[in-house]
Amino acid sequence: MFPTLVLMVLLCLAPGSLACDAGTSPFKSTGIACRVTKPAALVLNQKTTQVIQAAFRHAKYPSMKGEKSILFIGKVLYGLNNLEIHNLSIGKSEVELRENDAIGIEIHNVSATFKGTLHYGYGSWLINLGHSVDFEIESHIDLRVNTKLYCGKGRVTADTSDCTLTFHKLLLHLQGDKQPGWMKKLFTDFISFTVKLVIKSQICKEINTVANIMADFIQERAELFLSDGDIGVDISLTTSPSMRASYIESHHKGLVLYRKVPSSFLNESVFSPALLSESRMLYFWISDQVLNPMVKAAHEDRRFIRHIAGDELKVYIHKHTIPCTTKCQGRIVVSLTVFIN
């Protein structure tokens, strides 16, 4: 699909750069688990139309040409150029999580007007004859995209090749008053058939392109979010995401990296899907074997050291003094109840 739902899923599933581990028990090496539930999918699906609109608007429609033989006239050569989309509007969208299969998205009542230029000529190629007419095509379309999530080189890969456009309306309008009456009949079927093929090909291709661009961007942001200086986390997938009717779940290594060197090695994980519920939209499970090395790396990186001097030191001493007694004879003793390493 690549509406917002898939983008959110990829943000949750955003992995590192290492290859996925093959094995019968992916949970054994799971340091971090993430679950996106059906309620989250329904909320995020409300933003789906924005991504679909971007796919329609940014799709590039190539020029097309061909020829057709007509009785008493001979060979008619034609070409379509400058095809652009206008007046785009989208109705409603629906999402479905299909058990062990795919994320299904259906977009209904996509209304759009396509405009372009039709070149035509008789007996030789149209460049020599130079006849042309502008045209508009009114269309009503339903769009269905099934997205399957895979694990490739430690990253989530979205396959949107199962993409279908259904045309419920496709009306051709030729501009100009001097065109022969037979031309509209001749070109209506050709243009309709050609435009259907081109729109389907380019829109589905653009959805996949938008998906890859935005997924890469989100995954890069996720990796930056989980790193700070010399400290990072290897969140490579241990296996392909798990698809259920009520949630999508991913399992990550969660190895802490300090100066690009693993500072921990995950022993057999205690993770089980039963540890996560489905009542909320988003869940994260993080093993102690991830948190403890992270704290250790921060300590080795001198993140817990604070230097106090000057006026700040004077204020600190003033706040942490012990009142004098006759025994200390006026000497100020600094309290050691708060000691900063």
Side-chain angles (χ1 to χ4, degrees), residues 119-135:
H119 298 274
Y120 66 97
Y122 313 102
S124 63
W125 184 232
L126 52 106
I127 291 179
N128 296 324
L129 299 176
H131 298 292
S132 65
V133 59
D134 293 334
F135 67 87

Side-chain angles (χ1 to χ4, degrees), residues 76-118:
V76 177
L77 304 153
Y78 48 77
L80 297 174
N81 303 94
N82 307 319
L83 190 63
E84 297 178 348
I85 191 169
H86 298 268
N87 305 324
L88 175 65
S89 65
I90 295 179
K92 64 177 182 177
S93 63
E94 300 175 354
V95 62
E96 179 185 6
L97 303 183
R98 295 171 184 162
E99 189 91 9
N100 298 320
D101 185 17
I103 304 172
I105 285 287
E106 292 188 3
I107 311 295
H108 301 284
N109 300 324
V110 179
S111 176
T113 300
F114 294 88
K115 296 183 179 181
T117 303
L118 170 64

Side-chain angles (χ1 to χ4, degrees), residues 59-72:
K60 303 296 182 182
Y61 304 100
S63 298
M64 298 157 277
K65 62 181 180 181
E67 62 181 44
K68 187 176 181 66
S69 296
I70 302 178
L71 188 64
F72 305 122

Side-chain angles (χ1 to χ4, degrees), residues 8-286:
M8 180 61 186
V9 169
L10 285 173
L11 176 59
C12 174
L13 310 182
S17 58
L18 302 180
C20 304
D21 289 339
T24 57
S25 180
F27 304 149
K28 291 181 64 176
S29 55
T30 296
I32 300 175
C34 174
R35 176 177 292 184
V36 178
T37 64
K38 183 67 177 289
L42 296 176
V43 172
L44 293 169
N45 185 57
Q46 297 173 6
K47 301 296 183 180
T48 294
T49 55
Q50 298 178 9
V51 179
I52 297 301
Q53 285 178 337
F56 270 85
R57 289 196 174 100
H58 293 110
K60 303 296 182 182
Y61 304 100
S63 298
M64 298 157 277
K65 62 181 180 181
E67 62 181 44
K68 187 176 181 66
S69 296
I70 302 178
L71 188 64
F72 305 122
I73 295 178
K75 185 182 296 183
V76 177
L77 304 153
Y78 48 77
L80 297 174
N81 303 94
N82 307 319
L83 190 63
E84 297 178 348
I85 191 169
H86 298 268
N87 305 324
L88 175 65
S89 65
I90 295 179
K92 64 177 182 177
S93 63
E94 300 175 354
V95 62
E96 179 185 6
L97 303 183
R98 295 171 184 162
E99 189 91 9
N100 298 320
D101 185 17
I103 304 172
I105 285 287
E106 292 188 3
I107 311 295
H108 301 284
N109 300 324
V110 179
S111 176
T113 300
F114 294 88
K115 296 183 179 181
T117 303
L118 170 64
H119 298 274
Y120 66 97
Y122 313 102
S124 63
W125 184 232
L126 52 106
I127 291 179
N128 296 324
L129 299 176
H131 298 292
S132 65
V133 59
D134 293 334
F135 67 87
E136 292 184 359
I137 297 178
E138 294 182 45
S139 66
H140 287 171
I141 307 169
D142 286 347
L143 172 66
R144 178 181 59 82
V145 185
N146 292 323
T147 300
K148 294 188 176 182
L149 302 178
Y150 299 99
C151 177
K153 296 182 178 180
R155 304 180 71 89
V156 173
T157 302
D159 178 10
T160 62
S161 58
D162 187 1
C163 174
T164 303
L165 274 72
T166 302
F167 291 82
H168 298 290
K169 177 182 178 183
L170 202 66
L171 298 180
L172 171 67
H173 302 283
L174 296 177
Q175 305 299 316
D177 300 325
K178 298 181 179 180
Q179 310 307 323
W182 54 265
M183 192 181 70
K184 182 172 182 178
K185 184 178 185 304
L186 169 66
F187 289 116
T188 295
D189 293 340
F190 157 71
I191 292 178
S192 299
F193 177 76
T194 304
V195 168
K196 284 181 181 180
L197 293 179
V198 171
I199 291 176
K200 177 186 183 303
S201 173
Q202 296 304 115
I203 292 300
C204 291
K205 178 180 177 181
E206 186 63 24
I207 288 175
N208 189 65
T209 299
V210 171
N212 290 331
I213 292 175
M214 299 186 72
D216 287 343
F217 174 80
I218 289 176
Q219 291 180 105
E220 289 172 1
R221 298 280 77 76
E223 290 170 1
L224 289 175
F225 177 78
L226 291 172
S227 64
D228 184 23
D230 291 330
I231 302 175
V233 180
D234 174 8
I235 49 175
S236 301
L237 292 178
T238 61
T239 188
S240 294
S242 176
M243 182 76 66
R244 297 291 182 267
S246 55
Y247 65 82
I248 305 171
E249 187 175 276
S250 63
H251 313 102
H252 309 261
K253 293 181 178 179
L255 299 180
V256 177
L257 305 175
Y258 181 55
R259 296 179 179 175
K260 299 183 179 180
V261 177
S263 61
S264 64
F265 296 94
L266 193 67
N267 295 322
E268 186 166 340
S269 176
V270 298
F271 175 76
S272 168
L275 294 173
L276 300 179
S277 179
E278 300 175 18
S279 59
R280 299 184 182 275
M281 295 186 181
L282 182 64
Y283 291 89
F284 285 99
W285 179 89
I286 303 177

